[in-house]
Amino acid sequence: MHALREYVAPMCHRRRVNFALSPPRQERSTMAMHASSSLLNAIGMSVPIVQSPMAGVSSPAMAAAVSDAGGLGSLGVGAMTAEKARGAIHAFRQLSKGPLNINVFAHRPAHTDAVKEAAWLARLAPEFKRFGATPPASLKEIYTSFLVDEAMLAMLVAERPAVVSFHFGVPRPDQVKALHDAGVFLIGSATNVQEAKALEAAGMDAIVAQGYEAGGHRGMFDPDAEDSRLGTFALTRLLVENVSVPVIAAGGIMDGAGIAAVLKLGAAAAQLGTAFVGTDESLADAGYRKALASDAAYATVITRAVSGRPARSLASLFTRLGASVPDADVPDYPIGYDAGKALNAAGRAAGESGYGAHWAGQGAPLARTMSSHALMETLIAEWRKASV
């Protein structure tokens, strides 16, 4: 617990939407019946489907298709500057009048360790050499944490997307207040009950329960803490029982049956990411799409080697390399990602895509190739059928 304290913000100003104080256990089932409609009404959704932000994969066209179908379209802007993020928001608004979720990274800023970074580059040197390339001379922190990004905060307050969501931690109290004052609905991501309670105390209006099955980066506040590896079903039930705000289940949900299942567990909505990676509007490149359609989809693994933080990826050359690397040897996120991106660029230039960030959840073999609009129609029909 002590490792979590530095991330816990005091209770902040709350948005007008009020989901009440935590009720007695016997009243929770009744609350769960209303959680979905409360969340949907607060955001402006008509179906309980959230498209995962997926920085580098989600696009304005994908988000627009999801929102137009009644769900919540999302854009991950943690890898963008404030101005690029503003451009993505405007691109979405040219396509849709529906609600938009903007996701930012609230990680603790990286700790620079020149010795560790030099050793990591030396370890990767043989991989670069395979492609006739050399590692970068040094590494840098390529993404700015929202915790210190005043330009991003000012942009979001001005643009007022329907939702702003946070990954990797808790935003500052003044950031929460500024966004709430702008009328923005706030969502945080948790991998355990302690993180969820910290997010609730900080003023989040809803919480994503990110199960261990989920693709991409684990939302752990402290990547060096022991991971309880709670699955989506167990975590969803734990959060429904321990927090008073709506819970959005995420991880391994690929179809309408999965959506119906987590709603029965008390989730207010389901968040799907890997299900959208193979859609027409996805920004996933050809190598990523090919890997998703291959046997690699049956062997997703958690690795730090790609970015410096634990993340679930399709099995690849990079994950194989990372399997023999102690966690402590990988530079902090996102400094480690600087090396990973450089190695991927070298590989792709030589026709090798096995060093890309091919994030995917354990449900990857169930991914379908179609437009985002068609996928939403399919998911909604499956969910309704499974809910009868």
Side-chain angles (χ1 to χ4, degrees), residues 105 127 131 151 153 172 222 266 317 320 347 363 370:
F105 299 152
E127 307 301 318
F131 308 117
L153 174 62
R172 302 189 323 247
D222 182 357
L317 293 175
R320 193 181 310 159
M370 58 181 70

Side-chain angles (χ1 to χ4, degrees), residues 28-359:
R28 295 293 175 90
S29 60
T30 301
M31 291 288 290
M33 293 174 60
H34 300 292
S36 185
S37 60
S38 297
L39 177 72
L40 271 55
N41 290 338
I43 296 175
M45 303 161 61
S46 60
V47 294
I49 300 173
V50 179
Q51 166 243 316
S52 178
M54 299 184 295
V57 173
S58 62
S59 67
M62 176 191 293
V66 173
S67 290
D68 283 349
L72 177 61
S74 308
L75 293 172
V77 304
M80 299 183 189
T81 63
E83 282 311 302
K84 285 187 177 180
R86 189 193 302 273
I89 293 172
H90 289 181
F92 168 87
R93 287 176 172 163
Q94 290 177 350
L95 299 171
S96 174
K97 296 185 182 300
L100 173 65
N101 167 32
I102 294 296
N103 181 262
V104 295
F105 299 152
H107 59 283
R108 64 189 183 196
H111 171 69
T112 299
D113 186 329
V115 174
K116 177 187 285 190
E117 291 153 22
W120 183 236
L121 288 173
R123 184 189 288 267
L124 295 181
E127 307 301 318
F128 280 91
K129 187 176 181 180
R130 288 180 56 197
F131 308 117
T134 55
S138 61
L139 299 174
K140 58 184 181 298
E141 189 171 5
I142 57 174
Y143 302 149
T144 302
S145 169
F146 183 70
L147 297 178
V148 295
D149 195 340
E150 303 309 322
M152 187 70 78
L153 174 62
M155 185 277 292
L156 292 173
V157 168
E159 293 294 336
R160 300 175 63 186
V163 178
V164 170
S165 59
F166 308 95
H167 208 49
F168 301 143
V170 182
R172 302 189 323 247
D174 62 297
Q175 292 175 320
V176 172
K177 184 179 186 304
L179 290 166
H180 270 156
D181 286 348
V184 179
F185 190 93
L186 303 182
I187 300 176
S189 179
T191 63
N192 57 47
V193 172
Q194 292 76 20
E195 291 173 348
K197 287 186 174 180
L199 289 163
E200 182 178 29
M204 297 300 102
D205 299 306
I207 297 171
V208 170
Q210 189 197 34
Y212 195 62
E213 302 95 323
H217 286 98
R218 295 284 287 151
M220 301 168 65
F221 294 2
D222 182 357
D224 298 319
E226 184 177 353
D227 187 353
S228 53
R229 302 181 180 182
L230 290 166
T232 302
F233 275 25
L235 181 59
T236 296
R237 288 300 301 152
L238 284 168
L239 297 199
V240 167
E241 289 292 325
N242 283 280
V243 299
S244 61
V245 296
V247 174
I248 300 167
I253 306 168
M254 298 291 292
D255 55 23
I259 295 168
V262 295
L263 293 182
K264 289 179 181 178
L265 292 174
Q271 179 168 290
L272 288 70
T274 307
F276 285 92
V277 172
T279 60
D280 299 344
E281 296 80 8
S282 166
L283 299 180
D285 62 25
Y288 194 169
R289 292 172 184 270
K290 182 178 180 180
L292 182 63
S294 75
D295 287 344
Y298 290 89
T300 63
V301 295
I302 296 286
T303 182
R304 279 196 191 216
V306 177
S307 72
R309 257 187 175 265
R312 185 172 294 281
S313 169
L314 297 170
S316 69
L317 293 175
F318 217 152
T319 64
R320 193 181 310 159
L321 180 155
S324 62
V325 177
D327 288 348
D329 289 358
V330 185
D332 275 8
Y333 174 92
I335 293 174
Y337 220 167
D338 192 20
K341 288 180 178 294
L343 180 54
N344 180 42
R348 288 182 63 182
E352 174 57 68
S353 61
Y355 292 92
H358 296 163
W359 308 135

